[in-house]
Amino acid sequence: MAVPVVVVGGFLGAGKTSLINRIVNRCAPLRLSVLVNDFGALAIDSDLIEQAGERIVTLKNGCVCCSLQGDLLASIRMVLSRPEPPDAVLVECSGVSRIGAVRDALLDPVIWQAAALEAVVCVADAADMAADEGYFDDPLRAAPIRDADLVVLSKTDLLSGAVLERVLAALHARKRADLVLRPADAADLPGLLLAAAPGHAPATAPRQGARFRAEDVADASSLFASVSWRSARALDFGAFQAAIQRHAATILRAKGILRLHGREAAPLLFQMVGQRVTVGPAPARAAGADGTRLVFIGRRGRIDCAAIAADMDGCVPPGTAGEA
């Protein structure tokens, strides 16, 4: 599989480095490379990342979106070419970066083959939102929320229940409610972000004891539920599109290798995070495996895993059905 890339952005001081540290600590058995984009001449943020050591690459151009074809993509290529390439790459954008532009750059078809964009996460400061009635009028603060797949709300402990509900109402008016994660939800964020197709290992197998499958993490939580589905036969693309549309409102995350009827020789990498869906050529390492393998994750109580599995079975032409 392609090495997953997760982008973390948000306005200055929102708590991006804290979230990166949480992901690094929760995924300690995995080999993670962290690309830190500092604003200014001194690489301050990179000094705050815990346990990463030589896995940190600092991008010192001040704003990662200013040289997308330079520092960022070159750095990703560099970490992937190491003798022991990472299991995943985290990109921490500066507080003034345009994460929408970073997202678009990482969808480059050449990069996609080796490093597939998993998710774009915005960390948003709840206290800042509550204190400033014009918060969403400031493009530097509003744009990351708009362009992100998922929003992680920080500093909610500083607000009363009533004020927090007011902040959430304002945020939900701009972002689908279940795409906004509170700190309690974010404890399971690593499993949600680094979901892999069932039975499919990352480019470099994790060390003994490491876990890298969505079902391992999501099913252990009371917040999220997942369903793994596979079929030895190719799918009808029209039926697959219809099934995804039926469940799109409850799927937070989906990923897998997709083989379509009539195009079995060209496997595709399917990615869905929130409202963003991408389908592109699967990495060469996936070409040797037969059939379709998919995983779907959503909030427990909202996602209907049985219905998704049944609808996916309906995407298979008459004959052998999928296996959930």
Side-chain angles (χ1 to χ4, degrees):
M1 283 289 289
V3 174
V5 178
V6 175
V7 175
V8 178
F11 193 59
L12 298 164
K16 298 182 293 297
T17 301
S18 296
L19 181 62
I20 292 283
N21 277 328
R22 180 180 302 166
I23 295 173
V24 169
N25 289 327
R26 285 292 300 273
C27 298
L30 299 176
R31 183 183 296 114
L32 303 181
S33 285
V34 183
L35 308 186
V36 178
N37 175 226
D38 282 301
F39 184 77
L42 298 178
I44 301 299
D45 284 349
S46 61
D47 294 334
L48 304 179
I49 303 294
E50 301 171 2
Q51 301 180 0
E54 65 179 12
R55 293 171 293 175
I56 292 181
V57 177
T58 302
L59 309 176
K60 295 183 180 178
N61 63 341
C63 177
V64 76
C65 56
C66 296
S67 60
L68 290 177
Q69 302 306 317
D71 279 358
L72 176 60
L73 301 188
S75 295
I76 290 176
R77 291 189 184 98
M78 180 186 73
V79 298
L80 295 184
S81 67
R82 290 175 171 174
E84 293 185 336
D87 296 319
V89 175
L90 308 179
V91 179
E92 180 183 351
C93 298
S94 77
V96 293
S97 293
R98 299 192 304 275
I99 63 172
V102 177
R103 173 201 61 208
D104 294 344
L106 289 172
L107 292 175
D108 177 277
V110 176
I111 291 292
W112 177 267
Q113 288 287 313
L117 177 63
E118 294 286 299
V120 179
V121 181
C122 171
V123 183
D125 185 331
D128 195 12
M129 239 179 256
D132 187 351
E133 293 183 358
Y135 184 95
F136 291 102
D137 296 327
D138 180 356
L140 284 177
R141 293 186 289 186
I145 293 173
R146 179 196 66 212
D147 294 336
D149 302 316
L150 299 168
V151 175
V152 175
L153 207 55
S154 66
K155 306 181 185 178
T156 57
D157 58 318
L158 302 179
L159 305 179
S160 67
V163 173
L164 177 57
E165 289 305 314
R166 177 167 57 83
V167 166
L168 286 170
L171 193 52
H172 293 164
R174 295 162 174 84
K175 204 75 176 176
R176 202 177 87 198
D178 60 353
L179 302 182
V180 178
L181 305 182
R182 304 192 195 191
D185 303 340
D188 294 298
L189 193 61
L192 190 64
L193 295 179
L194 299 178
H200 208 72
T204 300
R207 263 64 59 208
Q208 185 176 6
R211 299 155 75 87
F212 205 85
R213 292 177 301 161
E215 58 268 31
D216 287 336
V217 182
D219 284 346
S221 167
S222 61
L223 297 172
F224 301 110
S226 69
V227 57
S228 299
W229 185 91
R230 61 183 71 201
S231 171
R233 301 187 62 189
L235 277 59
D236 177 85
F237 189 49
F240 177 72
Q241 285 181 304
I244 294 300
Q245 288 174 356
R246 279 195 293 275
H247 297 282
T250 62
I251 294 173
L252 285 176
R253 183 81 174 88
K255 181 181 178 180
I257 300 300
L258 184 64
R259 288 187 187 265
L260 301 178
H261 182 66
R263 289 181 279 175
E264 289 86 349
L268 300 171
L269 178 62
F270 168 73
Q271 292 257 37
M272 181 176 181
V273 188
Q275 297 171 309
R276 176 172 59 84
V277 177
T278 54
V279 179
R285 288 182 293 275
D290 294 330
T292 291
R293 307 179 306 285
L294 300 168
V295 63
F296 302 89
I297 307 174
R299 288 187 182 273
R300 194 176 296 277
R302 275 185 49 79
I303 189 171
D304 189 335
C305 295
I308 289 176
D311 282 351
M312 292 306 303
D313 285 343
C315 298
V316 182
T320 305
E323 300 174 358

